[in-house]
Amino acid sequence: MTGRMLITGGRVVDPSSGFDGVADVLLENGAVASVAPSIPSDGARVINAKGLVVSPGFIDLHAHLREPGDEYKETILSGSMAAAAGGFTAVCCMANTKPVNDNGSITRYILEKASQAKGARVYPIGAATKGLEGKELAEIGEMKQAGVVALSDDGRCVMNARLFQNALRYASMFGLTVVEHCEDVNLAKDGVINEGEVSARLGIKGVPAPAETVVAGRDVEIAAYTGCRVHLAHISAKETVSAVRAAKARGVRVTCEATPHHFTLTEKRLETFDANFKMNPPLRREEDVAAIRRGLADGTIDAIATDHAPHLQWEKELEIDQAPNGVVGLETALGVSMSLVLDGTLSLGAMIALLTNRPAGVFGLPGGTLARGAPADVAVFDPEKSWVVDPHLFLSKGKNSPFAGTELRGKNLVTIVGGEIVYNPTDL
Amino acid sequence: MAEPVLAAFRGRHLLSISDLSADEISGLINTAHRFVEVSEREVKKLPTLRGKTVVNLFFEPSTRTRTSFEIAGKRLSADVINISAQSSSVLKGETFKDTVLNVASMNPDALVIRHPSPGTPLYASKIAGCSVINGGDGAHAHPTQALLDMMTIMEHGKSLQNIRVSIIGDVLHSRVARSNIAAFKMFDAKITVCGPKTLMPPDVGSLGVRVTHDISEAVREAEVIMMLRIQTERMAQGLFPSLREYSAQFCLDSRVMKKARPDAIVMHPGPINRGIEISSEVADGPYSVILDQVAHGVAMRMAVLYLLCGGAEQ
């Protein structure tokens, strides 16, 4: 099947070149061969994409695939398939596995599992510090050699600023970006939801926005001082958006991502004490949601990332302060992101860019483009298709979606990785 | 109160004050008032809830509330069972959901739940198949406490409408404060909260209350002075420096009470810390209605059990 494939008659949107128009896309030997009107099929497998959007496959900078250690929540195989279902052709998996991905052996284990997976490509992110403990640097050189694409203690913040500075400088030798989970643990201590009007009323312990913003500010200064790159994960507070915007304006090498739940949902969703709306950082206020949307629109935010964090239903049915943080997102990211296009926040091209070439640029990953010779990683989706989210239909083992029961518009139909169809439930 | 309003309680839950209308609160207080007399009889028992089962499912230590619900149930002839469960599902190896489902399988008519985590009674109400009464969930709500507090105020000849109430102490961690604020607001009360800034939610103003950090000012106009318990563990969390300093700033003692209206009443949900948030002279003095609150607690819980468990049919 790696021979030839022709996707005909779709609206091809390739933000890396700025191309947006009806065209055919020819894939050959695992690479993009050409994008042009009326390419003859010449015996190629043909996918009729009339009325559909043909885009570079999506790239998720931030997912938790749980393997090794918590295979009951997700495996690299199930996560890779869930990603493919959502239109993702590459997914970066965080290091907070059991054991932690803080050395080359674990990285190689993940990549071996990934090579057997049949969905999206899986790129491991290595820990910045040993055991995510924030005390000593992890074996970054060895992990780079084994194949990590970035470094992060995600789930935890590197609270020691000196160690974080060392991590940035050391990682820069290997061309690796360090991803920070901005959370001052003292400010956030025991917090469950955003500290604000809802936490005041419901008596649920709050996480104040400064828990994120003080670390974001610190990291910007360290990035400015060292000249090294830093990427801020899942930003949630309006002040963080402003901080990144200002830092970029002065030339600091900072990038950031936002999740679909943080640009659509607010703390009010916690009024039912439903842990499917509990994640870290927490859902915040309307004005934070608005600020993140502005940040997506004006280019301050570089990527839409899912922070896909599968848990089993019984875990999410624990008491609100006991239930684990996190929500799944791979299979709803497109539909939720399309709401930004429908309400005029973003053009279709800008939205696709936030899922393709822009995240690719953050870590320097292949893909995210339909340029000739690029990997034949493609998503074909129906931008008009309305559907109601039913987590039981997810390919992910995690059904903990904050969008369960929500009607979304926009659904991925075909995912192609390396020229092979890995997802095509409607047999296009 | 008209019978249809009473009947409207049957089979419902009492999870937070927002489950009730002002009329229903008044109805509960009227019903409870009629039960006060039962507790003063030689034979303190009515047959009303004979054959009904009430389970007190307590995931955190409690003497007053548990005993109050137990006595209330027994005075109405219900069978009352007390279960003390380990609070952490992780520790005990059974989840909260499973514990509730197991108890619910024994077919109780009402489940009274006390739990350190907010929202647990609401969750239980969705799966238990019987009336669930919130006996206090974390810092979220303690509706029967607010109801008995309002009843006590009325029994002392005050009207709830537009009443001036000051709530003093650790508002941040207090379910009693939250339920009382919600309840008093339904009667357009003028509510003042007072305490160290570190023991107030940062968005306390969004609760629709006036805030002061001066206890004399809080006391001055108040018809009801409601004290909250301070827990020493808050000191270790860096929320205030010492009990000595706390009491110097926020203890309701005779000196502060000199500023109070002569007709003010002093309340406290208990247990009290003598000499810390309230002095012995005040706790035991003429303004104090603290023990009346406890007595009314039984009557109010009788009213709640009676109305929720279908007693109104008889």
Side-chain angles (χ1 to χ4, degrees):
Chain A
M1 276 297 292
T2 46
R4 286 160 57 85
M5 188 178 301
L6 185 65
I7 306 164
T8 59
R11 175 180 172 188
V12 178
V13 182
D14 180 12
S16 70
S17 66
F19 184 87
D20 183 345
V22 175
D24 294 352
V25 177
L26 180 65
L27 309 175
E28 222 166 22
N29 300 320
V32 179
S34 71
V35 177
S38 310
I39 301 172
S41 65
D42 280 345
R45 158 79 160 96
V46 174
I47 294 174
N48 178 0
K50 196 161 188 294
L52 306 177
V53 172
V54 180
S55 144
F58 307 147
I59 295 174
D60 188 4
L61 297 181
H62 193 144
H64 298 271
L65 300 187
R66 304 300 187 203
E67 187 176 4
D70 282 332
E71 290 86 354
Y72 73 98
K73 292 180 197 258
E74 192 83 289
T75 60
I76 289 167
L77 181 69
S78 65
S80 158
M81 288 310 299
F88 290 92
T89 53
V91 54
C92 302
C93 59
M94 281 297 173
N96 63 340
T97 47
K98 298 172 188 166
V100 170
N101 182 19
D102 61 0
N103 63 74
S105 303
I106 304 297
T107 306
R108 282 188 289 274
Y109 175 86
I110 292 169
L111 284 169
E112 190 188 315
K113 290 282 174 183
S115 70
Q116 297 155 16
K118 303 265 188 289
R121 303 173 195 270
V122 174
Y123 296 130
I125 294 174
T129 74
K130 283 190 192 115
L132 309 176
E133 285 180 353
K135 291 179 184 153
E136 297 170 22
L137 292 180
E139 291 170 326
I140 291 168
E142 190 199 36
M143 287 191 290
K144 166 70 181 180
Q145 212 163 24
V148 298
V149 297
L151 301 168
S152 182
D153 277 5
D154 183 65
R156 294 199 195 170
C157 181
V158 182
M159 279 298 290
N160 180 331
R162 172 165 287 274
L163 184 62
F164 188 72
Q165 176 169 306
N166 293 344
L168 287 198
R169 301 183 69 184
Y170 193 84
S172 71
M173 288 193 301
F174 303 98
L176 290 173
T177 299
V178 180
V179 181
E180 177 73 294
H181 167 112
C182 298
E183 181 188 12
D184 182 295
V185 296
N186 296 309
L187 278 171
K189 192 171 168 40
D190 299 330
V192 176
I193 70 172
N194 180 49
E195 183 169 275
E197 184 257 321
V198 176
S199 70
R201 188 153 36 84
L202 298 187
I204 306 179
K205 287 204 177 77
V207 181
E212 174 176 296
T213 58
V214 298
V215 175
R218 181 200 77 171
D219 288 359
V220 162
E221 292 311 317
I222 291 173
Y225 178 70
T226 58
C228 301
R229 302 186 54 136
V230 67
H231 177 73
L232 308 183
H234 47 49
I235 66 170
S236 68
K238 68 172 183 178
E239 295 84 357
T240 312
V241 181
S242 307
V244 172
R245 186 179 289 125
K248 285 186 165 184
R250 57 188 257 239
V252 181
R253 300 175 74 198
V254 59
T255 51
C256 68
E257 70 194 27
T259 72
H261 45 276
H262 284 117
F263 62 70
T264 50
L265 307 175
T266 70
E267 58 180 352
K268 291 220 162 28
R269 303 305 284 266
L270 271 305
E271 283 178 347
T272 55
F273 298 89
D274 184 344
N276 284 317
F277 296 96
K278 178 186 176 186
M279 73 291 290
N280 184 10
L283 299 176
R284 299 203 190 268
R285 300 160 304 170
E286 288 288 355
E287 61 200 90
D288 297 299
V289 169
I292 292 171
R293 295 166 87 98
R294 279 197 301 278
L296 289 164
D298 73 9
T300 301
I301 297 169
D302 301 88
I304 293 172
T306 65
D307 196 6
H308 178 82
H311 295 289
L312 292 201
Q313 189 180 339
W314 71 264
E315 298 173 303
K316 281 295 196 178
E317 287 172 348
L318 294 172
E319 299 87 326
I320 189 76
D321 48 6
Q322 306 281 321
N325 280 310
V327 296
V328 292
L330 287 169
E331 292 165 83
T332 49
L334 172 64
V336 179
S337 300
M338 275 300 293
S339 70
L340 299 174
V341 178
L342 293 170
D343 71 10
T345 303
L346 297 176
S347 67
L348 182 66
M351 188 277 282
I352 290 174
L354 285 158
L355 284 166
T356 58
N357 63 315
R358 296 188 65 203
V362 172
F363 290 171
L365 300 172
T369 170
L370 297 177
R372 187 184 173 86
D377 294 1
V378 182
V380 181
F381 66 88
D382 183 344
E384 301 295 334
K385 168 115 180 132
S386 284
W387 59 292
V388 176
V389 178
D390 177 0
H392 295 101
L393 302 177
F394 287 165
L395 299 188
S396 170
K397 290 188 178 187
K399 314 300 177 193
N400 49 309
S401 170
F403 299 105
T406 304
E407 186 172 352
L408 300 178
R409 235 169 97 188
K411 199 171 199 320
N412 178 58
L413 297 178
V414 183
T415 309
I416 297 161
V417 174
E420 301 225 31
I421 296 177
V422 297
Y423 180 79
N424 182 17
T426 55
D427 259 335
L428 276 180
Chain B
M1 186 168 65
E3 277 309 302
V5 180
L6 286 173
F9 280 100
R10 213 171 296 143
R12 269 168 55 180
H13 308 293
L14 179 56
L15 305 172
S16 77
I17 287 295
S18 59
D19 291 343
L20 303 170
S21 65
D23 274 355
E24 288 177 331
I25 290 175
S26 302
L28 276 161
I29 292 171
N30 288 340
T31 307
H33 177 76
R34 299 212 292 272
F35 284 128
V36 171
E37 175 265 332
V38 175
S39 295
E40 288 161 357
R41 291 182 195 173
E42 182 133 355
V43 178
K44 305 175 183 62
K45 214 161 179 94
L46 293 175
T48 326
L49 293 187
R50 200 167 53 206
K52 304 278 184 183
T53 307
V54 175
V55 175
N56 284 328
L57 185 52
F58 275 50
F59 293 83
E60 115 186 327
S62 157
T63 310
R64 206 173 334 268
T65 305
R66 187 185 56 72
T67 310
S68 185
F69 270 109
E70 182 174 1
I71 290 177
K74 285 180 169 167
R75 286 192 181 154
L76 294 172
S77 301
D79 296 309
V80 183
I81 287 88
N82 294 313
I83 301 174
S84 294
Q86 280 263 19
S87 64
S88 162
S89 18
V90 182
L91 272 183
K92 73 181 178 223
E94 184 183 59
T95 64
F96 174 72
K97 179 186 185 184
D98 285 333
T99 305
V100 171
L101 287 176
N102 274 273
V103 172
S105 298
M106 299 180 212
N107 214 16
D109 297 281
L111 207 48
V112 182
I113 295 183
R114 157 72 61 97
H115 198 292
S117 297
T120 39
L122 171 66
Y123 183 72
S125 73
K126 294 174 182 165
I127 59 171
C130 68
S131 286
V132 172
I133 300 165
N134 185 352
D137 60 334
H140 173 226
H142 195 357
T144 59
Q145 178 73 43
L147 291 169
L148 73 88
D149 287 345
M150 302 190 104
M151 175 186 178
T152 303
I153 291 164
M154 288 187 73
E155 297 283 323
H156 282 270
K158 296 181 188 298
S159 157
L160 297 176
Q161 208 62 42
N162 300 314
I163 196 166
R164 292 170 188 277
V165 184
S166 285
I167 302 175
I168 301 169
D170 181 359
V171 176
L172 178 63
H173 299 96
S174 177
R175 54 189 168 219
V176 175
R178 284 188 179 78
S179 280
N180 268 306
I181 290 169
F184 281 114
K185 276 175 65 91
M186 295 174 80
F187 294 89
D188 300 317
K190 308 274 176 292
I191 308 166
T192 298
V193 295
C194 173
K197 214 167 197 170
T198 45
L199 293 177
M200 298 281 167
D203 274 22
V204 64
S206 68
L207 299 176
V209 296
R210 191 175 72 99
V211 183
T212 174
H213 306 294
D214 175 354
I215 190 170
S216 298
E217 194 194 322
V219 161
R220 198 171 297 129
E221 301 277 308
E223 294 163 82
V224 174
I225 301 166
M226 194 173 275
M227 303 305 295
L228 302 172
R229 177 179 169 78
I230 187 79
Q231 287 181 312
T232 52
E233 68 193 71
R234 309 300 173 208
M235 216 160 47
Q237 295 165 0
L239 291 167
F240 65 93
S242 67
L243 291 176
R244 190 163 155 266
E245 178 156 321
Y246 184 87
S247 63
Q249 303 287 329
F250 297 105
C251 182
L252 187 69
D253 55 19
S254 320
R255 180 184 56 85
V256 175
M257 279 309 289
K258 287 205 181 78
K259 311 257 172 43
R261 292 162 57 126
D263 64 342
I265 59 173
V266 171
M267 309 180 82
H268 193 302
I272 62 173
N273 292 304
R274 287 177 184 270
I276 297 172
E277 72 264 5
I278 189 166
S279 74
S280 283
E281 305 96 88
V282 175
D284 304 332
Y287 297 100
S288 170
V289 300
I290 295 171
L291 294 176
D292 291 345
Q293 289 174 272
V294 180
H296 293 141
V298 173
M300 179 50 74
R301 284 158 184 139
M302 286 171 80
V304 168
L305 289 172
Y306 167 73
L307 292 173
L308 262 51
C309 292
E313 287 170 291
Q314 289 159 36

